[in-house]
Amino acid sequence: MRPLGAAVLLALGLTTAAQTVAPGPARPPDALSPAFHKQRRELLRQALPPRSVAVLFAAPVRNRANDVNYVYHQNPDFYYLTGYEEPEAVLVLFAEPQTLGGQPGVTEALFVQPRDPAREQWTGRRLGAEGARRELQIQFVADNRDFARAGIRWADFAQLAYLPLPTDVRDAPHDSADLYDLLATFRRQAILPPPPEPALAEARQVLLQYGATNEAQMLGYLRSAARQSPAVAQDAQIKQYLAATTSAQRQAAAQTFGRYDGGLVLDAALDQLRAVKTPEELVLLRRAVRISAVGQQEVMKAAHPGMGEREMQGLHEFVYRKYGAEFEGYPSIVGAGANGCILHYETNSKPQVGNELVLMDCGAEYRGYSADVTRTIPPSGRFSPAQRQIYELVLAAQEAGFAACRPGADFQSPGQAAQKVIAAGLRRLGIITRDEQMRRYFPHGTSHHLGLNVHDRGGAGPLVAGNVITVEPGIYIPENSPCDPKWWNIGVRIEDDVLITATGYENLSREAPRTVADIEALMARPSALEGFKLPELE
């Protein structure tokens, strides 16, 4: 049934029952604490330049089809800082205390959608301003309708820090303070310049992240970008960096920001904060990873050649829901044979996987934190000789990547170690003749940060204790590759989620079998799902 607008409901007299709805959804007992979010806000606020203000918006509601929306998923940065999971909201952080709504000493303000009993009966409970103040313990909370008249003196700030603003937001005609209006208010009152074109935005972001440490590569990158984009070539900061004659001048240019900072300051600060997981975060991330590992175990036991890719996907996701995971961290990838050679294959439509290797890249999202675990299995329960050779080569590469995971190691070290093993192994098997040909069959990186996003925030500098990264080498040999046909359509990826510790690393997903012997032994065991029979559909 299509949810009706609040005005329509009032006209029809359908509000009486909704008036009894309790304020706000129940927070899970293991959700991140208000104190966690408070600490994150304060650390971000302390990272702001003097006389600056940071503004962050909730994620847009996304339409799926006609009057049906996708299940709402909060902007991870917004959730990280507030714990608020509803749309149509804005968070404002002040570097120095301000007076807001007659309240002095305000350093943080959250504007949220108001209680609306008529709407809540149709679309779910809302916290409202009072609920958000009580549950989230934010200093200043008001209805989003008050954002336009809050009296924030944007012109008084030396710098306005905000992430790139969404431009594809729908305007709800009966809501004068939805995200569309909140964005319009901010643009109008703060007199924002138009957003830079994508090439310039990317160049500025890369300059901020790497301009002070990778000068030689940065100069080459910026010169190339300037040749391709007039906007990059004419940007004052980039011209200053390219014209600099000393390292000190280049470092100063890399850290130069204008008054309107469309993401550079906040991106750098949030990257630094979110890259190191707190003990409270690790509790949730560990659970997401363990749920995903159990999913891999159960599918291994249940798999057989007559099973379809989508059925395997469904078994993974059934396990996630059984353990209370709210979502998948990303679209599940279940690819058999040639489909396993497509890195982000998401169709999962092959009706029977047969005896080809099945690559299963799947991860649960629990309380916002995403796992990312990949295993590759033979549906028959036994690897063929060719499959085994490729699999064990990838496994050896992963072990080399693990060995490179330690504090102080360069972020690229696990990937470099894995590439050396795979290049040598492919040469030994006669699949390539030169090391550089390895990239044909191993075209992706080996690691990324993991957390509130599956590809999470975090820079590419040295690893530190508290980082959670993936180690995921792979080999993919599509049909008609220039090698012996016995290797064709073999795709193998092994991916684990690794916590960098004070002395090395911990494999958080170790419960999912990795070796050939362990996989074959588990696949020989009975599955709890074998007795699950549904009626035949004619």
Side-chain angles (χ1 to χ4, degrees), residues 412-489:
Q412 306 298 333
S413 295
Q416 293 166 352
Q419 287 177 6
K420 290 179 182 178
V421 172
I422 287 180
L426 291 177
R427 282 201 329 271
R428 185 176 64 253
L429 294 174
I431 296 174
I432 64 174
T433 57
R434 301 188 309 277
D435 284 358
E436 57 268 26
Q437 295 172 329
M438 174 267 301
R439 298 303 286 173
R440 171 191 288 271
Y441 303 110
F442 179 21
H444 59 77
T446 305
S447 299
H448 57 78
H449 289 273
L450 190 67
L452 285 170
N453 288 316
V454 65
H455 295 153
D456 206 33
R457 282 190 174 277
L463 295 171
V464 300
N467 288 159
V468 178
I469 66 171
T470 61
V471 179
E472 51 174 311
I475 294 174
Y476 318 89
I477 310 177
E479 190 171 355
N480 297 318
S481 295
C483 61
D484 190 320
K486 73 177 181 179
W487 308 115
W488 290 357
N489 292 332

Side-chain angles (χ1 to χ4, degrees), residues 146-426:
D146 296 327
F147 180 61
R149 51 180 180 260
I152 299 174
R153 299 171 60 88
W154 303 105
D156 291 349
F157 296 104
Q159 187 171 74
L160 277 66
Y162 52 95
L163 299 175
L165 303 178
T167 57
D168 55 344
V169 179
R170 287 190 169 191
D171 184 11
H174 302 296
D175 188 345
S176 62
D178 62 1
L179 183 62
Y180 183 93
D181 295 297
L182 293 173
L183 290 165
T185 293
F186 178 54
R187 290 190 183 98
R188 181 179 66 256
Q189 292 188 353
I191 318 177
L192 297 189
E197 68 172 54
L200 177 55
E202 178 181 298
R204 286 176 176 171
Q205 181 62 47
V206 173
L207 179 58
L208 173 68
Q209 287 185 305
Y210 308 112
T213 55
N214 294 26
E215 294 180 24
Q217 295 91 326
M218 182 56 55
L219 287 168
Y221 165 80
L222 290 179
R223 287 169 182 148
S224 175
R227 287 193 295 270
Q228 299 174 41
S229 167
V232 174
Q234 295 163 14
D235 182 74
Q237 182 183 8
I238 291 172
K239 289 169 67 175
Q240 181 184 356
Y241 189 90
L242 291 174
T245 57
T246 68
S247 179
Q249 290 174 343
R250 281 188 287 272
Q251 291 189 28
Q255 302 300 318
T256 299
F257 308 108
R259 180 171 187 268
Y260 298 98
D261 174 58
L264 301 183
V265 168
L266 285 184
D267 268 328
L270 287 166
D271 277 351
Q272 186 172 9
L273 282 176
R274 284 179 51 186
V276 178
K277 272 55 182 182
T278 69
E280 195 171 356
E281 290 180 281
L282 286 173
V283 170
L284 303 180
L285 192 47
R286 284 179 185 276
R287 186 163 182 85
V289 174
R290 291 198 66 196
I291 290 171
S292 305
V294 172
Q296 294 283 356
Q297 293 176 2
E298 293 306 315
V299 175
M300 288 182 190
K301 289 187 285 186
H304 57 78
M307 188 173 282
E309 292 173 344
R310 191 166 289 132
E311 185 178 359
M312 287 185 166
Q313 172 189 348
L315 294 180
H316 280 280
E317 295 171 8
F318 170 76
V319 172
Y320 300 169
R321 299 301 191 275
K322 187 71 173 174
Y323 284 106
E326 296 89 346
F327 302 102
E328 302 80 57
Y330 52 95
S332 299
I333 298 169
V334 180
N339 295 336
C341 297
I342 301 171
L343 301 185
H344 283 180
Y345 172 75
E346 298 171 359
T347 309
N348 303 343
S349 58
K350 192 171 185 178
Q352 291 188 335
V353 296
N355 290 316
E356 299 180 292
L357 286 182
V358 180
L359 188 155
M360 305 182 298
D361 186 339
C362 306
E365 180 184 305
Y366 185 82
R367 306 293 186 258
Y369 286 83
S370 177
D372 191 1
V373 182
T374 306
R375 293 294 184 264
T376 306
I377 64 171
S380 66
R382 304 286 294 182
F383 287 86
S384 73
Q387 292 170 348
R388 185 186 193 108
Q389 286 178 290
I390 298 299
Y391 187 93
E392 292 190 329
L393 174 54
V394 175
L395 185 65
Q398 191 188 36
E399 291 290 350
F402 285 157
C405 291
R406 60 185 182 277
D410 188 84
F411 186 81
Q412 306 298 333
S413 295
Q416 293 166 352
Q419 287 177 6
K420 290 179 182 178
V421 172
I422 287 180
L426 291 177

